[in-house]
Amino acid sequence: SSATMSRPAIGKRKQQQKRRRKAKQRSRQPSRHSSGADAAAAASSATDKATAAVAALEYLQAWCRREEGGWKFSKVRQSYLLRAWPDPVKLPREAFGLLLSYLPTMHEGAIARTLEQATAVAAAAEEERKRLEACLDEAERAEDAAEADEAQLALLKIRLMRALKVSAALGPEEGEEGSEEEEGGDEDAGEESEEGEERRAES
């Protein structure tokens, strides 16, 4: 009789184990709700980045009109600008152009840190550019991989150009008056070059 009484207990235990296994499997698989939440979080992050970029541009535009009033220094905005300037997605061309005029007005500590940053960005971009160009020279490269590398290469060239411009904007001001026209011409050429690299990165 004891054996007969134990059978229901064994069956019940097996059912409990089966339910636990199913619960574990469900917990490991991403639910539709979690996938939707991840997508919403990604969309929110993209919106936040776009909002930050717009706010940074408005801050710089207000700085350009500071003599009219209405501009106030913001450590948050300046910190964003100093983090974002190498990236053309986070800081578009128009904002970067205004930033070049803004940078020399910062205090000495911020200028020194930004010069160090520009040197590091230029060195890293140049090293990665050489590596990618060597990969692109290989005849056996797959076409899709080569296209991806070309887009990455275009972004690296933008980072390098921006780093050099930041260094020039914060460097010694020798012969500043005599070279204003020449610097303007170089800046225009740099903007055209950056625009071309952005098109290559997007294609």
Side-chain angles (χ1 to χ4, degrees):
S1 62
S2 61
T4 305
M5 289 179 63
S6 66
R7 284 175 186 169
I10 292 171
K12 188 176 181 181
R13 191 162 61 247
K14 285 184 177 179
Q15 287 177 354
Q16 289 174 343
Q17 289 173 347
K18 190 182 289 186
R19 280 197 293 268
R20 279 196 290 269
R21 281 197 298 269
K22 285 183 179 180
K24 279 185 179 179
Q25 288 174 352
R26 282 197 299 269
S27 66
R28 288 172 185 167
Q29 292 175 354
S31 65
R32 291 182 181 179
H33 175 73
S34 65
S35 298
D38 291 344
S44 176
S45 176
T47 302
D48 290 344
K49 287 179 181 177
T51 302
V54 170
L57 176 58
E58 290 175 349
Y59 175 75
L60 290 170
Q61 288 172 335
W63 174 80
C64 290
R65 300 188 303 269
R66 61 194 179 280
E67 293 180 359
E68 302 171 11
W71 178 81
K72 185 178 180 182
F73 172 75
S74 169
K75 187 175 182 180
V76 171
R77 294 282 175 261
Q78 179 170 293
S79 296
Y80 174 84
L81 289 166
L82 296 183
R83 287 195 311 271
W85 67 257
D87 190 333
V89 175
K90 293 179 180 178
L91 198 71
R93 269 197 319 279
E94 182 183 357
F96 179 72
L98 297 177
L99 178 67
L100 291 176
S101 298
Y102 174 87
L103 290 176
T105 68
M106 300 188 301
H107 63 76
E108 290 181 4
I111 288 176
R113 287 192 296 272
T114 304
L115 275 170
E116 290 177 3
Q117 178 194 17
T119 301
V121 167
E126 180 65 14
E127 183 178 349
E128 183 65 8
R129 182 182 69 82
K130 288 178 180 177
R131 187 191 70 78
L132 280 177
E133 285 181 343
C135 289
L136 286 168
D137 286 340
E138 294 177 8
E140 295 160 5
R141 295 280 294 158
E143 187 176 345
D144 55 347
E147 288 177 0
D149 281 352
E150 284 176 359
Q152 180 65 18
L153 187 60
L155 289 174
L156 286 169
K157 286 180 178 178
I158 291 173
R159 291 177 70 88
L160 179 59
M161 284 187 289
R162 287 192 169 194
L164 295 176
K165 286 182 179 182
V166 166
S167 296
L170 296 176
E173 299 179 356
E174 296 176 6
E176 181 181 0
E177 293 181 4
S179 62
E180 262 185 31
E181 186 176 345
E182 183 181 343
E183 286 176 2
D186 290 344
E187 185 175 341
D188 291 341
E191 285 178 3
E192 290 175 7
S193 180
E194 183 171 323
E195 184 177 0
E197 296 300 343
E198 283 184 4
R199 286 175 183 162
R200 276 188 281 278
E202 291 169 1
S203 61

